[in-house]
Amino acid sequence: MATPGGSTSATCAISSALAHPPALLDYAAIHSCLLRGDARFSLPLLALLLLLHFRLLAAAASARFTPAVSRLAARLRLSPSMAAVTLLALGNGAPDAFASAAALGGPRGMPRAGLAAILSAGAFVSAFVVGAVALIAAPFAVPPASFARDVFFYLVAASGLFYVYLSAEIFLWQAVGLVLFYAFFVGLVFYMDLGSAERKAVSAAAAELEMVSGSGRVAVDLPITVEDHRRQQQPALCALLSKVTEVWEWPIAFVLKLTIPSTLPSEWIKVYISANICLCPLLVLYSFSSFIPLDTRIVFLLPQIRFPLWSVVLFASLCLALSHYLFEKEAPETENIASTLISFIMSVFWISTMAGELLNCLAAIGVIMDFPPAILGMTVLAWGNSVGDLVADVALAKAGQPTIAIAGCFAGPMFNMLVGLGTALVVQTARVYPRAYVLEFHVGIVVAFVFLLLSLMGTLLVVTWARFRVPRFWGYCLMGIYILFTIVSIAIASSSG
């Protein structure tokens, strides 16, 4: 077993390179300082924290993020594919853009770890997450043109990046091309949606996107008998576990209500809305603390005194919250798109924050158990980076929107690869311009590329063969592909050290 000091330094190195913003808890310090490096106590505690983080992430995705995406898509009249390449990709992929930039700008070895994590995360989403969505909602139909376009563009993007990686260097124009390729993809999606029958179908379905209060589920056109049958099939063990989890369900729901505004007038509660006004600006400020420190001194009201930035934001938001509580008497008559947008942003904040905490906690557990850093990059860190995609896409599938979920399974990782990794590569290639930025070769990254391309080509061929319906058996096949990828990656990482 690694020594406490070694575990601490390794964990901090991994977390600092891939975390955004700084972690809420120092998991290495919990192990080495609080529990004196005793794995018998630290591992169960970290596992419990891991479950708590995952539950909060799942609650934020199902109860807040999914309704916000549904309502924004309905209000903006976005097709499922357009919602996936914009709202869902931005919500799931924006945090990874910061992680990629941090990894590529980190010490020696971190650029390779960052690239490996992004590719492994892409393989995880394109195989495991697509498989999970298929097992939950299959069989279901996908729009032929939209599906073929999304998978084809992801294939082209991954193939192009693979070619660049095999050349062992990348120039500035190539890095810029990655970002512009995604912009072209979004423009093509928008062009294909203009005046199409798909847009009319989304407008007609806007009334079906009303949420059940607090459940995060979308009212979908399914027979009641089918839904009742599914509920009757829930085993007694699940009911027992639900009773046990109620111990922490209330605190989690309470925290989410305080920090994520509800958009439905029927759910309007003055105390919670006032708390949202007070707390949301502080949380947004915290999310940018990597760029703007919370204790930055600024002039406010008194010209001779500089106050910390967080205190100024707290004072302003508290005044607005008190004004709302004192003068606002009735709920709004209609749903406010501004509240829906704020709900979307705060849901992304919680998903990003909890995914980061999951990543850091998983990394600490891996270091305590003496896993090699290469294995952590290929497995644990990739899972941590992709858990937000997994929870959000599965929540959408459970809410009766598998089409948006399956489109997000391709648009989200493509956003991470082209915009997240692409932006980080633009920064690094601009620093060495006109020379090329050298890419460190590793056979594990080649394996990740191969399995990513294999899962994408397989999905395109199978779904096309099934007349653009996602079959359930392919979900099992995709999960098998990802398990094989994990085994091969661990074997390669173990043999190469």
Side-chain angles (χ1 to χ4, degrees):
M1 182 173 293
T3 61
S7 298
T8 302
S9 61
T11 304
C12 291
I14 293 173
S15 300
S16 62
L18 295 176
H20 56 277
L24 297 175
L25 297 176
D26 190 339
Y27 302 97
I30 292 176
H31 168 66
S32 60
C33 300
L34 182 63
L35 300 175
R36 301 183 181 275
D38 194 336
R40 295 174 300 175
F41 298 103
S42 57
L43 286 177
L45 178 59
L46 291 178
L48 182 62
L49 290 174
L50 199 67
L51 291 175
L52 181 61
H53 294 331
F54 188 84
R55 186 66 195 96
L56 184 54
L57 190 154
S62 62
R64 300 294 175 176
F65 180 75
T66 300
V69 170
S70 301
R71 293 188 186 112
L72 281 177
R75 292 293 297 269
L76 300 176
R77 296 185 177 182
L78 300 177
S79 69
S81 54
M82 194 65 188
V85 303
T86 54
L87 299 177
L88 196 57
L90 182 63
N92 289 337
D96 293 324
F98 296 102
S100 303
L104 287 180
R108 181 175 177 83
M110 278 303 169
R112 190 186 75 185
L115 180 58
I118 286 180
L119 291 174
S120 300
F124 177 82
V125 175
S126 64
F128 191 88
V129 178
V130 173
V133 172
L135 293 180
I136 290 172
F140 61 90
V142 292
S146 301
F147 175 82
R149 176 201 60 214
D150 295 346
V151 181
F152 176 76
F153 265 76
Y154 194 10
L155 265 172
V156 172
S159 301
L161 186 59
F162 190 24
Y163 172 79
V164 171
Y165 181 74
L166 292 178
S167 68
E169 60 183 12
I170 182 171
F171 292 91
L172 177 61
W173 68 269
Q174 293 172 317
V176 173
L178 294 176
V179 181
L180 293 180
F181 187 76
Y182 190 82
F184 174 76
F185 169 68
V186 174
L188 179 63
V189 173
F190 180 76
Y191 174 77
M192 291 178 64
D193 285 344
L194 280 178
S196 66
E198 191 173 286
R199 173 177 290 270
K200 295 181 181 179
V202 171
S203 301
E208 297 179 3
L209 294 174
E210 293 298 328
M211 302 298 118
V212 178
S213 176
S215 67
R217 287 186 173 271
V218 182
V220 293
D221 188 17
L222 287 176
I224 300 299
T225 55
V226 175
E227 196 67 27
D228 290 340
H229 180 66
R230 288 179 179 177
R231 291 175 181 174
Q232 291 171 1
Q233 289 181 335
Q234 296 297 324
L237 179 60
C238 292
L240 178 61
L241 291 177
S242 65
K243 293 288 185 181
V244 175
T245 56
E246 285 180 1
V247 175
W248 61 20
E249 285 294 330
W250 184 86
I252 290 175
F254 180 69
V255 170
L256 294 180
K257 287 181 180 179
L258 288 178
T259 54
I260 303 178
S262 178
T263 59
L264 292 178
S266 59
E267 298 177 354
W268 186 87
I269 299 177
K270 185 164 64 172
V271 174
Y272 285 130
I273 299 300
S274 300
N276 297 152
I277 296 174
C278 180
L279 297 177
C280 288
L282 287 173
L283 295 179
V284 172
L285 180 65
Y286 169 77
S287 66
F288 287 98
S289 58
S290 299
F291 305 95
I292 307 175
L294 297 176
D295 57 354
T296 301
R297 299 278 175 168
I298 62 173
V299 176
F300 181 71
L301 296 180
L302 301 177
Q304 303 300 326
I305 302 178
R306 292 180 176 270
F307 296 92
L309 179 59
W310 67 266
S311 64
V312 175
V313 174
L314 176 61
F315 176 79
S317 59
L318 186 59
C319 291
L320 291 174
L322 288 175
S323 300
H324 179 274
Y325 185 81
L326 293 175
F327 299 110
E328 203 65 38
K329 303 298 182 182
E330 298 180 356
E333 297 181 358
T334 59
E335 181 181 349
N336 191 341
I337 191 171
S339 299
T340 305
L341 184 60
I342 295 173
S343 179
F344 172 78
I345 293 173
M346 296 311 300
S347 300
V348 170
F349 165 81
W350 275 115
I351 291 176
S352 170
T353 302
M354 287 301 102
E357 293 302 307
L358 273 169
L359 188 152
N360 295 329
C361 191
L362 283 170
I365 292 175
V367 172
I368 292 171
M369 297 180 69
D370 203 17
F371 288 160
I375 294 180
L376 288 178
M378 284 290 183
T379 56
V380 171
L381 299 183
W383 299 337
N385 278 335
S386 305
V387 70
D389 301 76
L390 172 63
V391 174
D393 292 332
V394 169
L396 283 169
K398 287 183 176 179
Q401 300 189 60
T403 303
I404 295 182
I406 206 73
C409 289
F410 303 116
M414 184 161 52
F415 179 92
N416 297 343
M417 177 185 293
L418 297 178
V419 179
L421 180 63
T423 302
L425 287 173
V426 167
V427 174
Q428 297 303 318
T429 53
R431 290 178 178 176
V432 298
Y433 181 80
R435 293 181 290 111
Y437 178 77
V438 178
L439 299 173
E440 186 178 355
F441 180 82
H442 190 269
V443 65
I445 295 180
V446 175
V447 171
F449 269 116
V450 171
F451 272 90
L452 174 61
L453 296 173
L454 178 64
S455 63
L456 290 174
M457 288 187 290
T459 298
L460 181 61
L461 292 175
V462 169
V463 174
T464 303
W465 168 78
R467 298 182 180 180
F468 292 98
R469 295 183 64 84
V470 179
R472 187 177 299 273
F473 82 89
W474 185 238
Y476 292 106
C477 294
L478 286 174
M479 288 190 170
I481 289 174
Y482 183 75
I483 293 173
L484 178 61
F485 162 69
T486 303
I487 294 173
V488 173
S489 298
I490 292 176
I492 291 175
S494 300
S495 61
S496 62

